[in-house]
Amino acid sequence: MLSDQAGDGKRTSLHGFWSSRMAFILAVTGSAVGLGNIWKFPYIAGQNGGGAFVLVYLFCVVLIGMPVMMSEILIGRRGRRNPVASMALLGEEEGSSRNWQWVGGMGVLAGILILSYYSVIAGWTLEYVAKSASGVFTGASADLVGAEFGAFIGDWRKVVLVHTLFMGLTIFVVARGVERGLEQLVKFMVPALLVLLLVLLGYSMTSGHFGEGLAFLFMPDFGKLTWESVLVALGHAFFTLSIGMGAIMAYGAYLPEDTSITGTSTAVVAADTLIALLAALVIFPLVFANDLNTAEGPGLVFQTLPLALGQMPGGAFFSTIFFVLLSFAAWTSAIGLMEPAVAWIVEQFKKTRAQAAVMIGGLIWLLGLCSAMSFNVLSDFRFLINVDTDGDGIMDAKGTIFDNVDYLTSNIMLPLGGLLITVFAGWVMCRNSTADELGGSGGFYTAWRLLARFIAPIGILVVLINAVS
Ligand code: PHE
């Protein structure tokens, strides 16, 4: 495997390259911006008390997320393989061991597990496109919107149907290859999402309790912060940036040599954080204005927005567009979640992309059935982690399958993956290799190396140890 160097001493990608720097930025942004920003961030910020949690999340994004993302891209571009093979190859080349491939392997597994429930929630957004367009929310009361949501997720056939539909769409795109189609979608989707969020922000500023929402999100009350919420904030920084599991590493493998890794990472991190904060700024004023529960949980965005928009002129239209864009955002993220597994199957077992997409996608669909049913028929099947079911801040039950898979992947696997990736890039890879990829040894390089060698790994370890002990 080490003999496949290109003539200039650099390896070349097995799957082709991004057509331009912009194409790469779009793909990474498409992967980063998704349900994490609009569905997950607001609901976990609500469950973890707002302000202090948001602040910790922002620190994690900058001090840990940035160096991990840069490390992933540089490893991917230097290895030019799927995450498993890149880690094995570089591990050997840098004089360590091929065992680093297990980090890639854990990423492949994390992607499969995350997509199994991600697809279920993405299915909800598809359902909400139809529901919004049908006008059921026009003038509806909070009780009605809540009942509508409860009845939907309580019906396993519907939830499984939309999960199936979403996985079908994802498999379709992945089967067609890395370069085609999607870049175009992201180019239109991310700006459209931004504009729509700004329109909704205008609405929320005038009709919601904006001051209250702002205070909730940005006035930290550190009394509410536990190590557990710090771990959730850290886990979410990984989840929302698509890092710690090799998605960005897999994309980095198709990146041309001359693209700046620092510049790309900064742009993606900024866009992703902006969209998450905007979504929360839209949602919380409406939560307060309608007397909803900030700690509502996974149903938060599916109840708050239809309710508020149902009272706004043209609400059915805006609500439909909103869920269409959210479905697109979920779609481009789902593709990133599958990429490490698919690239691995293609390279390792010499399958075509289409075969790999169907195999992996089928497995994910099957696993997803468990999460889909954890909201209805299996809702009493609870184990392992503790959760707060009524939003009063007291952990009063064990988690469902969905809760457990989400916790295990976001809060354990991704941070652990990120820890090993930064240790690899910061300590195992020699200075020359990383400086070569990051373009020299100036101030940015020194800052990256400091973060990747010390701040990020130590930060992750401290949070993990304190939260699980
Ligand atoms: N970042 C995506 C989101 O916020 C989820 C994701 C995680 C995508 C990991 C790819 C890899 O929705």
Side-chain angles (χ1 to χ4, degrees):
M1 276 304 248
L2 272 171
S3 58
D4 46 12
Q5 306 261 341
D8 58 355
K10 300 264 180 174
R11 274 175 293 275
T12 185
S13 162
L14 301 175
H15 301 260
F17 289 103
W18 300 104
S19 53
S20 63
R21 167 181 141 84
M22 198 56 201
F24 176 72
I25 295 188
L26 288 173
V28 177
T29 311
S31 151
V33 174
L35 294 172
N37 307 59
I38 291 168
W39 159 74
K40 196 172 180 191
F41 176 65
Y43 99 70
I44 58 174
Q47 282 179 329
N48 289 280
F53 175 87
V54 173
L55 197 66
V56 174
Y57 153 79
L58 291 174
F59 268 105
C60 290
V61 162
V62 176
L63 295 180
I64 298 176
M66 266 300 279
V68 174
M69 181 177 280
M70 290 169 66
S71 305
E72 270 200 40
I73 303 178
L74 80 85
I75 293 171
R77 184 163 74 182
R78 209 166 178 81
R80 290 273 183 236
R81 297 285 178 274
N82 69 77
V84 181
S86 285
M87 294 294 288
L89 191 62
L90 294 184
E92 196 165 55
E93 199 169 88
E94 299 283 345
S96 179
S97 128
R98 290 184 70 82
N99 281 329
W100 285 97
Q101 66 186 330
W102 292 102
V103 178
M106 183 169 76
V108 167
L109 184 65
I112 291 174
L113 289 174
I114 294 176
L115 187 50
S116 76
Y117 75 81
Y118 198 87
S119 164
V120 173
I121 312 294
W124 296 2
T125 66
L126 293 178
E127 173 75 13
Y128 268 65
V129 171
K131 272 198 200 301
S132 303
S134 77
V136 275
F137 299 126
T138 310
S141 65
D143 286 345
L144 194 100
V145 176
E148 192 71 35
F149 178 72
F152 164 58
I153 64 165
D155 184 344
W156 71 269
R157 287 180 214 83
K158 281 198 184 147
V159 178
V160 166
L161 181 75
V162 287
H163 160 60
T164 307
L165 186 61
F166 184 80
M167 271 320 293
L169 289 168
T170 305
I171 293 171
F172 173 73
V173 179
V174 173
R176 292 186 48 193
V178 285
E179 304 203 300
R180 278 173 276 172
L182 274 188
E183 296 161 17
Q184 300 311 318
L185 180 63
V186 180
K187 210 181 272 181
F188 135 88
M189 174 197 80
V190 172
L193 201 56
L194 264 176
V195 170
L196 188 67
L197 283 173
L198 288 173
V199 171
L200 295 181
L201 183 65
Y203 176 72
S204 158
M205 283 170 109
T206 52
S207 322
H209 291 188
F210 196 66
E212 227 176 310
L214 212 58
F216 180 75
L217 283 170
F218 296 111
M219 296 241 298
D221 170 0
F222 289 100
K224 287 186 184 160
L225 205 64
T226 57
W227 276 110
E228 181 60 30
S229 3
V230 174
L231 178 62
V232 176
L234 173 71
H236 188 65
F238 279 92
F239 183 92
T240 191
L241 297 175
S242 309
I243 53 180
M245 46 82 53
I248 302 291
M249 200 186 284
Y251 283 180
Y254 320 133
L255 184 64
E257 290 302 329
D258 52 2
T259 307
S260 152
I261 292 178
T262 316
T264 310
S265 305
T266 313
V268 174
V269 169
D272 188 80
T273 310
L274 178 69
I275 291 186
L277 292 177
L278 269 178
L281 271 177
V282 168
I283 288 170
F284 283 103
L286 298 173
V287 168
F288 290 114
N290 292 290
D291 266 330
L292 301 172
N293 183 358
T294 50
E296 176 62 45
L300 187 67
V301 65
F302 294 95
Q303 298 186 51
T304 315
L305 277 182
L307 171 65
L309 294 179
Q311 277 136 41
M312 165 180 156
F317 172 76
F318 282 110
S319 177
T320 311
I321 302 285
F322 173 81
F323 285 109
V324 168
L325 289 174
L326 188 54
S327 306
F328 280 156
W331 201 19
T332 55
S333 298
I335 287 152
L337 283 162
M338 266 179 85
E339 188 58 30
V342 168
W344 176 64
I345 296 276
V346 168
E347 291 169 27
Q348 186 76 25
F349 302 101
K350 310 279 178 273
K351 301 277 179 215
T352 64
R353 268 192 85 81
Q355 287 166 331
V358 171
M359 282 164 56
I360 295 293
L363 173 69
I364 292 171
W365 175 80
L366 209 60
L367 289 173
L369 295 179
C370 304
S371 285
M373 297 208 209
S374 73
F375 292 97
N376 34 67
V377 274
L378 297 177
S379 61
D380 290 330
F381 179 52
R382 292 171 176 272
F383 56 103
L384 213 62
I385 65 159
N386 296 314
V387 293
D388 167 15
T389 52
D390 48 12
D392 59 1
I394 298 167
M395 299 293 191
D396 50 23
K398 294 283 173 191
T400 60
I401 298 174
F402 160 78
D403 295 323
N404 276 287
V405 178
D406 176 40
Y407 192 92
L408 171 74
T409 50
S410 310
N411 301 347
I412 309 288
M413 292 175 89
L414 299 185
L416 211 57
L419 171 71
L420 293 167
I421 288 167
T422 46
V423 167
F424 186 79
W427 295 94
V428 174
M429 289 180 76
C430 68
R431 214 188 150 92
N432 283 348
S433 313
T434 50
D436 180 26
E437 291 299 330
L438 294 179
S441 45
F444 277 123
Y445 178 75
T446 312
W448 167 78
R449 204 161 143 91
L450 185 73
L451 291 172
R453 282 167 75 95
F454 301 103
I455 311 288
I458 293 173
I460 297 169
L461 262 185
V462 167
V463 179
L464 272 175
I465 289 172
N466 277 293
V468 297
S469 62

